[in-house]
């Protein structure tokens, strides 16, 4: 796409309320074998709050307009026009009923937006702007209407017909057809509309709300998946109960439905009363799902349910406010997961993802605030910044106002804005009003992009018995924001004495810091805090619980880090200390690699890991987390640029082997102490044992000794659950042992009928470190199980290679970049959303050496020369301008 044909940029500063509103939307969707006809009857009125308009502009895409009427009278062709994706109707009255009949072709809709077909089932995805592919409409979130939907289809092919709200009428028709009519009593924007038609089986249960209402719960799946719904149903009921207890939010309809769809761009969608899910976020069984998969199902089920209030009952005014619903709801599902399992382990997982993915996004050409200033294609802003960083901002508010204050603020927010489309400022205002607190400086988190760097220095004075901490905050320039203001940053701290206990915190001047919530609030570029009555030099534990999404730079000795690993009462910071210690050792090893020198790991690290493996009092899940080495992607983001791809990979592998060799006795003891379970249970103790055992197995397999390989093969064959089998499979496939070829074939033959397990089969092979992996990926693209129209398969094979296999994707010959560019060009025509997400992988070219950077830019330019969707155009153009 040439620059002079660039798609339009949408800007927050240009927002204006709609000239017209829609009070009622009545849809009649008639599904036929070769097409679908949609009749939309829209009750429209002028918005008296905006300027007077006489022309109505609706948006639509890939539609054939068959009929148009105003108040039942046909509209002459001279009074309407269609240009690009806009239907303009002139001389409309102030209040009227508009009737539109459009024809669409869902079977050819590979974008998976609007109404499309997935394995013979009709389903919808309307967020963010998919509804315009169903009918012409005011497709914007601040236009809210009450919907009724009549669906008609062949009864034998599509016995199940679902939409939002409650079913109010159904019946049989001539020629073997039938219909169901649904009515949603709550106003909603069209992005929350949903429709499903298919031959599905259902699992049913019920939930009694706190006020005594009975709610019917239904999960619809393909018949062969009926036995994989129990965990999702249990997660749903626990989510409903938790939201009543923690937030006072009760479900408001008589029925709550979930449908599992195999072709889906996202994880799930919170459509009112009818959630549509990617199968990967619903289906779970011991045989086919890992422990991580069980946790993901629980989290996503909760996330979409919580949206019923934080997203549906109160929605966002415009798409710039996306984090209003997503950041808040991610925080809520993180709270839920923490309450259902280990708070610390869940926090570690959340922060690890944030630091690996969101921090990288914040420092690249796609950097944007959690409330963006502009966009070309809104689908490109369903990002970790909007979701995960947005959740961190909500978490900081909760830390500043306290648990009770946050509940008061959320109650006021829901009460004040129920049934409205509002802004991020409205959310913050509710927190301020409920707690009589000034968050004016804190609001910068919503409008300022980039990750703040927090540089810390400390000084202990034995003579004055003081300990001084000086904080300097700085945020680097990001696209469109060269100058940054200081942010309001809460830093949770502890000062640990030589016995491992926290010292009382009292500042000079007599201010005592609350021991239950020890937080320093930073607001200036540089601030100093002097603690008194400190009689020995403490070890500072900073940013406990990761109290703010910042890069912490606080030099500490390896001995101090090992001490925190053993003694810090904050579980998150114990893990963080272990990661910092590993990174410190890896920095030496990377420097040695670059100088052709062999560097052995520091004994401080080996001894710290030995303590973890031998101390029976420690939580097993925490031990497993602390033993995990940072990923190559995490290290690439953390270490100085240009990224040393080969040095990071070789040094990390060398460290893994060295630790396995030094600690083989202790790791083997773990394997003996926690043998394979003969029956699967998804419960904390069992999950922890599997996690620690498989971590040790992966370490030991790096040595490729015959006895360990034999153990791993036995685990692969004898495992009663997917967690253990997949772990053994990965360890074998990522080795150089000849046995792996047979294991790859055996795994596929056993699970070829389980699509989600086949995704794992693709993923493990695509992430293998062997030099021929790219050729293997290309071969697998021709495998009968691979489907270029399935986002799950694309992510499992292409995405896994490009995201999770840095040493091969970034091969110095540029073959990985050329491969990815080929896939982006192909996907751009099939599914622009998926194509743009693949393109993001190449936006960080500036982080690499000159040769690699040049090769990446060459491939980006090749993509840019193609006719591009707005989705891909925006990403590629920003990348090349950086």
């Amino acid at each position: 796409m040439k620059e002079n044909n660039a798609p339009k940029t949408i800007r927050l500063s240009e927002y204006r309320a709609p000239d017209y509103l829609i009070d009622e939307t009545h849809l009649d969707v008639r599904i036929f074998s070769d097409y679908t006809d949609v009749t939309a009857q829209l009750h429209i009125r002028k918005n008296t709050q905006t300027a007077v308009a006489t022309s109505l502009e609706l948006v639509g895409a890939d539609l054939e307009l068959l009929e148009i009427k105003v108040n039942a009278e046909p509209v002459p062709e001279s009074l309407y026009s269609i240009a690009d994706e806009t239907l303009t109707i002139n001389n409309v009255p102030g209040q009227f009923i508009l009737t539109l009949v459009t024809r669409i072709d869902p079977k050819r809709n590979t974008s998976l937006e609007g109404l499309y077909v997935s394995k013979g089932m009709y389903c919808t995805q309307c967020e963010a702007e998919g509804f315009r592919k169903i009918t012409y409409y005011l497709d914007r979130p601040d236009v809210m209407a009450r919907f009724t939907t009549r669906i008609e289809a062949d009864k034998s092919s599509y016995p199940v017909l679902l939409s939002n709200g409650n079913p109010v009428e159904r019946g049989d028709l001539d020629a073997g057809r039938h219909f169901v009519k649904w009515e949603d009593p709550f106003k909603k924007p069209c992005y929350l509309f949903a429709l499903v038609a298919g031959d599905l089986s259902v699992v049913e249960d019920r939930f009694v709300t706190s006020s005594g209402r009975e709610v019917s719960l239904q999960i619809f799946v393909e018949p062969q998946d009926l036995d994989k719904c129990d965990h999702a149903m249990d997660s749903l009921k626990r989510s409903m109960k938790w939201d009543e207890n923690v937030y006072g939010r009760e479900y408001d309809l008589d029925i709550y439905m979930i449908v599992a769809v195999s072709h889906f761009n996202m994880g799930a969608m919170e459509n009112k009363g009818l959630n549509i899910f990617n199968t990967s976020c619903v289906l779970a069984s011991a045989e086919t799902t890992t422990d991580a998969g069980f946790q993901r199902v629980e989290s996503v089920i909760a996330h979409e349910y919580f949206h019923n209030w934080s997203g549906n009952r109160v929605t966002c005014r415009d798409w710039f406010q996306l984090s209003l619903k997503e950041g808040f709801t991610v925080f809520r599902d993180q709270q839920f997961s923490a309450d259902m399992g280990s708070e610390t382990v869940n926090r570690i997982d959340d922060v690890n993802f944030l630091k690996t993915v969101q921090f990288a996004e914040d420092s690249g050409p796609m950097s944007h605030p959690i409330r963006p200033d502009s966009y070309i294609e809104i689908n490109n802003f369903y990002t970790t910044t909007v979701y995960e960083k947005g959740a961190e901002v909500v978490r900081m508010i909760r830390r500043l106002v306290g648990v009770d204050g946050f509940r008061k603020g959320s109650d006021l927010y829901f009460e004040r804005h129920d049934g409205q489309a509002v802004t991020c400022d409205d959310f913050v205002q509710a927190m301020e009003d409920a707690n009589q607190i000034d968050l004016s400086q804190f609001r910068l988190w919503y409008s300022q992009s980039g990750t703040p760097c927090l540089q810390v220095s400390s000084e202990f004075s034995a003579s004055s018995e003081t300990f001084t901490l000086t904080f300097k905050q700085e945020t680097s320039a990001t696209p469109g924001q060269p100058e940054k203001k200081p942010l309001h940053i809460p830093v949770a701290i502890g000062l640990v004495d030589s016995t491992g206990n926290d010292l009382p915190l009292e500042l000079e001047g007599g201010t005592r810091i609350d021991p239950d919530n020890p937080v320093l609030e930073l607001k200036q570029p540089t601030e100093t805090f002097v603690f008194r009555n400190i009689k020995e030099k403490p070890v500072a534990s900073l940013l406990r619980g990761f109290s703010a999404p910042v890069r912490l730079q606080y030099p500490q000795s390896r001995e101090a880090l090992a001490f925190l690993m053993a003694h810090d009462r904050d579980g998150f910071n114990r893990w963080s200390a272990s990661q910092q210690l590993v990174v410190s050792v890896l920095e030496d090893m990377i420097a040695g690699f670059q100088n052709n020198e062999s560097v052995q790991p520091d004994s401080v690290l080996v001894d710290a890991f030995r303590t973890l493996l031998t101390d029976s009092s420690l939580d097993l899940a925490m031990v497993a987390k602390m033993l995990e080495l940072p990923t190559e992607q995490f290290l690439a983001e953390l270490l100085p640029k240009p990224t040393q791809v080969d040095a990071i990979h070789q040094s990390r592998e060398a460290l893994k082997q060295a630790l396995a060799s030094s600690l083989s006795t202790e790791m083997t003891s773990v394997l003996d102490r926690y043998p394979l379970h003969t029956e699967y249970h998804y419960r904390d103790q069992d999950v922890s044992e599997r996690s620690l055992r498989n971590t040790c197995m992966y370490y030991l397999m790096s040595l490729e000794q015959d006895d360990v390989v034999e153990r791993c093969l036995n685990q692969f064959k004898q495992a009663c659950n997917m967690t253990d089998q997949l772990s053994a499979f990965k360890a074998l496939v990522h080795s150089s042992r000849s046995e792996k070829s047979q294991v790859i074939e055996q795994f596929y033959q056993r699970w070829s009928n389980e699509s989600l397990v086949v995704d794992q089969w693709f993923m493990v092979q695509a992430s293998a470190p062997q030099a021929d992996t790219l050729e293997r990926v290309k071969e697998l693209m021709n495998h009968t199980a691979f489907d270029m129209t399935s986002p799950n398969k694309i992510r499992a094979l292409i995405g896994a290679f490009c995201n999770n296999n840095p040493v091969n994707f970034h091969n110095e010959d540029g073959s990985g970049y050329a491969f990815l560019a080929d896939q982006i060009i192909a996907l751009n025509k099939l599914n622009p959303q998926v194509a743009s997400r693949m393109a993001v992988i190449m936006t960080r070219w500036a982080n690499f050496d000159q040769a690699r950077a040049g090769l990446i830019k060459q491939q980006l330019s090749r993509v840019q020369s193609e006719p591009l969707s707005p989705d891909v155009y925006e990403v590629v153009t920003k990348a090349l301008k950086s």
Side-chain angles (χ1 to χ4, degrees):
M1 182 177 292
K2 303 298 183 184
E3 190 68 28
N4 57 356
N5 292 324
K8 180 182 177 182
T9 298
I10 311 299
R11 304 184 188 281
L12 174 58
S13 60
E14 296 173 356
Y15 169 84
R16 65 186 300 269
D19 289 327
Y20 289 87
L21 301 172
I22 302 175
D23 293 318
E24 295 180 28
T25 298
H26 303 281
L27 298 176
D28 188 354
V29 182
R30 290 165 290 159
I31 297 171
F32 298 96
S33 59
D34 296 326
Y35 61 90
T36 295
D37 284 346
V38 179
T39 300
Q41 188 182 86
L42 312 178
H43 293 236
I44 301 176
R45 61 181 168 87
K46 284 184 178 178
N47 184 356
T48 59
Q49 303 301 312
T50 61
V52 176
T54 59
S55 296
L56 171 68
E57 287 192 358
L58 304 177
V59 290
D62 303 327
L63 304 175
E64 180 185 355
L65 182 62
L66 302 180
E67 187 176 302
I68 177 171
K69 295 179 179 179
V70 170
N71 292 332
E73 292 296 325
V75 178
E77 291 187 9
S78 60
L79 290 182
Y80 74 90
S81 61
I82 299 175
D84 296 325
E85 295 187 356
T86 303
L87 168 63
T88 303
I89 309 170
N90 298 315
N91 299 331
V92 295
Q95 187 166 344
F96 61 100
I97 297 175
L98 175 66
T99 302
L100 300 166
V101 181
T102 54
R103 178 164 292 177
I104 56 179
D105 189 353
K107 291 184 177 179
R108 294 171 61 89
N109 182 6
T110 61
S111 71
L112 311 188
E113 294 179 287
L115 181 64
Y116 65 93
V117 177
S118 170
K119 294 178 67 175
M121 172 173 56
Y122 285 77
C123 55
T124 55
Q125 172 56 31
C126 294
E127 186 178 358
E129 296 177 335
F131 193 78
R132 64 189 59 187
K133 292 191 174 186
I134 296 173
T135 188
Y136 288 101
Y137 203 79
L138 290 172
D139 189 358
R140 46 190 292 170
D142 55 356
V143 174
M144 303 175 69
R146 289 183 174 84
F147 278 66
T148 59
T149 305
R150 180 185 180 276
I151 314 167
E152 177 187 318
D154 180 80
K155 188 172 184 177
S156 61
S157 299
Y158 309 102
V160 174
L161 305 176
L162 308 174
S163 192
N164 310 87
N166 300 311
V168 294
E169 187 180 355
R170 66 180 69 237
D172 293 330
L173 303 168
D174 294 339
R177 296 174 65 79
H178 73 136
F179 78 94
V180 179
K181 184 176 181 181
W182 293 81
E183 185 176 274
D184 187 348
F186 295 96
K187 292 193 305 179
K188 66 173 180 284
C190 63
Y191 84 82
L192 290 172
F193 171 77
L195 180 152
V196 170
D199 186 2
L200 299 167
S201 297
V202 61
V203 172
E204 298 187 85
D205 208 327
R206 69 186 189 99
F207 179 82
V208 179
T209 70
S210 57
S211 66
R213 288 190 308 103
E214 184 171 305
V215 179
S216 173
L217 308 178
Q218 299 179 329
I219 299 178
F220 291 88
V221 295
E222 294 181 40
Q224 71 271 17
D225 293 324
L226 272 175
D227 62 340
K228 302 183 185 72
C229 298
D230 289 349
H231 180 63
M233 185 65 80
D234 182 58
S235 298
L236 174 58
K237 290 191 290 185
R238 284 186 284 111
S239 302
M240 298 175 80
K241 185 63 176 175
W242 184 90
D243 210 19
E244 290 182 344
N245 293 342
V246 177
Y247 280 88
R249 300 296 110 192
E250 184 177 313
Y251 186 61
D252 48 13
L253 291 172
D254 299 330
I255 187 171
Y256 188 91
M257 299 171 287
I258 290 172
V259 179
V261 177
S262 61
H263 288 64
F264 205 65
N265 285 335
M266 302 181 180
M269 177 60 207
E270 72 268 17
N271 321 286
K272 183 69 179 182
L274 176 58
N275 288 184
I276 298 179
F277 275 64
N278 191 310
T279 50
S280 65
C281 298
V282 173
L283 307 180
S285 70
E287 294 77 15
T288 61
T289 311
T290 63
D291 292 335
F294 270 85
Q295 198 281 328
R296 174 169 164 77
V297 168
E298 178 181 73
S299 173
V300 179
I301 290 283
H303 180 94
E304 305 309 330
Y305 175 74
F306 297 152
H307 264 314
N308 187 61
W309 277 93
S310 51
N312 295 2
R313 289 286 288 263
V314 183
T315 194
C316 49
R317 184 195 71 179
D318 54 74
W319 291 119
F320 298 100
Q321 318 296 331
L322 181 58
S323 196
L324 173 81
K325 71 184 187 77
E326 295 300 348
F328 187 20
T329 305
V330 168
F331 172 68
R332 275 153 52 74
D333 82 54
Q334 289 176 353
Q335 281 184 287
F336 170 77
S337 295
D339 286 350
M340 295 301 107
S342 166
E343 180 178 4
T344 299
V345 170
N346 277 280
R347 186 66 180 140
I348 289 169
D349 288 340
D350 294 337
V351 174
N352 222 349
F353 180 73
L354 184 87
K355 285 187 170 184
T356 303
V357 182
Q358 196 281 319
F359 279 18
E361 184 172 85
D362 244 352
S363 60
M366 294 299 290
S367 178
H368 58 276
I370 65 172
R371 183 182 56 210
D373 298 318
S374 65
Y375 61 80
I376 290 176
E377 173 50 62
I378 184 56
N379 288 319
N380 287 333
F381 287 84
Y382 282 73
T383 61
T384 52
T385 297
V386 166
Y387 279 65
E388 276 72 25
K389 187 176 180 179
E392 294 300 317
V393 171
V394 174
R395 185 182 295 272
M396 285 190 288
I397 292 176
R398 183 173 180 264
R399 188 175 289 275
L400 290 171
V401 303
V403 174
D404 293 339
F406 189 79
R407 171 61 190 271
K408 286 195 299 181
S410 64
D411 283 349
L412 178 60
Y413 170 70
F414 290 129
E415 176 186 345
R416 180 180 284 175
H417 298 297
D418 191 8
Q420 297 178 14
V422 298
T423 68
C424 296
D425 282 332
D426 291 317
F427 177 79
V428 178
Q429 189 67 54
M431 291 295 165
E432 287 183 316
D433 293 347
N435 293 281
Q436 299 300 300
I437 186 174
D438 180 8
L439 295 174
S440 54
Q441 184 179 357
F442 185 87
R443 292 171 190 258
L444 286 172
W445 282 102
Y446 285 91
S447 58
Q448 188 163 284
S449 59
T451 304
C453 176
L454 202 58
Q455 296 176 325
V456 186
S457 60
S458 62
E459 182 181 355
F460 171 66
S461 171
S463 59
S464 62
E465 296 186 347
T466 59
F467 185 74
T468 303
L469 285 171
T470 299
F471 297 83
K472 180 181 179 181
Q473 61 162 297
E474 184 177 5
T475 306
S476 299
T478 54
Q481 292 188 349
E483 302 293 332
K484 304 291 184 177
K485 297 179 180 179
L487 295 162
H488 184 176
I489 303 175
V491 179
I493 71 161
L495 301 182
V496 187
D497 67 17
S498 57
T499 65
N501 294 313
D502 278 10
L503 295 169
L505 301 181
E506 182 180 347
L507 296 173
E508 277 193 336
T511 302
R512 295 181 181 275
I513 295 180
D514 182 0
D516 295 326
N517 187 30
V519 174
L520 303 176
E521 296 187 33
L522 310 184
K523 295 184 178 182
Q524 303 301 322
T526 302
E527 291 182 75
T528 297
F529 300 86
V530 180
F531 299 89
R532 67 183 191 181
N533 298 324
I534 307 296
K535 302 183 184 304
E536 63 173 298
K537 184 178 181 180
V539 177
S541 173
L542 304 180
L543 212 66
R544 281 180 162 176
F546 200 66
S547 59
V550 301
R551 298 179 189 268
L552 180 65
Q553 294 184 356
Y554 178 47
Q556 288 181 292
S557 69
R558 292 177 182 175
E559 289 74 16
L561 293 171
F563 177 82
L564 290 175
M565 283 177 63
H567 298 290
D568 200 326
R569 70 176 180 85
D570 183 80
F572 176 85
N573 268 17
R574 293 183 71 172
W575 168 82
S576 182
S578 73
Q579 298 292 286
Q580 292 176 66
L581 180 55
V582 169
V583 169
S584 174
V585 171
L586 277 171
E587 286 177 320
D588 286 351
M589 297 182 74
I590 289 169
F593 176 87
Q594 293 169 330
N595 294 323
N596 294 316
E597 300 172 355
S598 177
V599 178
Q600 292 302 307
D602 193 319
S603 61
V604 174
L605 175 62
V606 176
D607 291 342
F609 272 27
R610 180 174 286 112
T611 298
L612 290 174
L613 287 162
T614 55
D615 188 343
S616 59
S617 68
L618 299 177
D619 176 73
L620 298 183
M622 274 296 296
V623 172
K625 286 294 178 189
M626 294 171 75
L627 289 173
E628 287 179 1
L629 297 181
T631 65
E632 291 175 38
Q633 302 93 305
F634 182 96
L635 292 166
E637 175 57 27
L638 184 68
L639 297 175
K641 307 299 182 289
T643 299
Q644 304 297 318
V645 177
D646 299 307
I648 289 174
H649 174 73
Q650 297 295 343
S651 299
R652 186 179 181 278
E653 289 298 303
L655 177 59
K656 181 169 64 175
Q657 292 171 12
L659 289 170
S661 179
S662 298
L663 301 170
S664 60
T665 300
E666 291 81 2
M667 289 183 175
T668 302
S669 177
V670 168
L671 301 186
D672 294 334
R673 194 181 318 134
Y674 304 111
L676 289 176
H677 296 128
T678 57
E679 186 176 348
Y680 180 83
H681 297 284
Y682 180 65
R683 57 193 180 198
D684 290 347
Q685 181 62 27
D686 291 43
V687 170
S688 299
E689 289 181 9
R690 282 190 288 270
S691 178
L692 181 56
R693 182 182 64 248
N694 288 323
T695 297
C696 290
M697 176 70 80
Y698 199 72
Y699 266 105
L700 293 170
M701 273 295 293
S702 69
L703 303 176
E704 299 197 11
Q705 296 170 345
D706 289 345
D707 58 334
V708 178
V709 172
E710 186 64 27
R711 272 188 184 246
C712 197
L713 282 167
N714 287 337
Q715 177 168 319
F716 173 75
K717 296 172 184 176
Q718 298 170 11
C720 72
N721 61 82
M722 183 52 62
T723 303
D724 287 332
Q725 186 176 64
L726 187 66
S727 180
F729 178 68
K730 179 179 178 181
L732 290 161
V733 173
H734 286 201
S735 75
S736 60
R737 300 284 297 209
S738 60
E739 294 92 338
K740 68 181 182 180
S741 297
Q742 185 178 5
V743 165
I744 289 172
E745 181 62 23
Q746 289 174 347
F747 190 91
Y748 179 75
Q749 290 302 323
R750 179 173 181 183
W751 300 112
S752 59
N753 292 325
E754 294 287 349
S755 180
L756 296 178
V757 181
V758 172
D759 290 346
Q760 300 288 338
W761 183 73
F762 281 131
M763 195 175 299
V764 168
Q765 294 178 81
S767 59
Q770 284 75 29
D772 63 349
T773 297
L774 177 56
E775 295 308 310
R776 176 59 177 163
V777 169
K778 291 178 179 178
E779 290 175 11
L780 288 170
M781 287 186 67
N782 295 317
H783 195 281
T784 55
F786 183 75
D787 179 1
M788 198 66 167
T789 68
S790 167
N792 283 358
K793 294 293 181 287
I794 294 165
R795 287 187 282 260
L797 185 58
I798 301 170
F801 174 75
C802 299
N803 276 313
N804 302 336
N805 200 335
V807 71
N808 284 311
F809 175 65
H810 293 289
N811 190 301
E812 61 185 3
D813 66 4
S815 56
Y817 311 142
F819 167 75
L820 178 55
D822 289 342
Q823 310 319 313
I824 294 167
I825 292 168
L827 284 166
N828 177 70
K829 300 173 183 177
L830 292 171
N831 190 324
Q833 276 192 49
V834 174
S836 71
R837 287 168 189 167
M838 291 291 119
V840 167
I841 298 170
M842 290 202 288
T843 59
R844 309 286 314 288
W845 58 266
N847 286 352
F848 297 92
D849 58 80
Q850 187 174 358
R852 284 185 171 94
L855 291 169
I856 298 173
K857 290 178 70 177
Q858 179 182 335
Q859 294 303 324
L860 284 169
S861 296
R862 181 163 72 91
V863 173
Q864 190 183 43
S865 68
E866 298 284 329
L868 296 179
S869 64
D871 310 60
V872 178
Y873 172 88
E874 180 172 29
V875 173
V876 171
T877 302
K878 287 183 175 180
L880 287 172
K881 285 182 177 178
S882 62

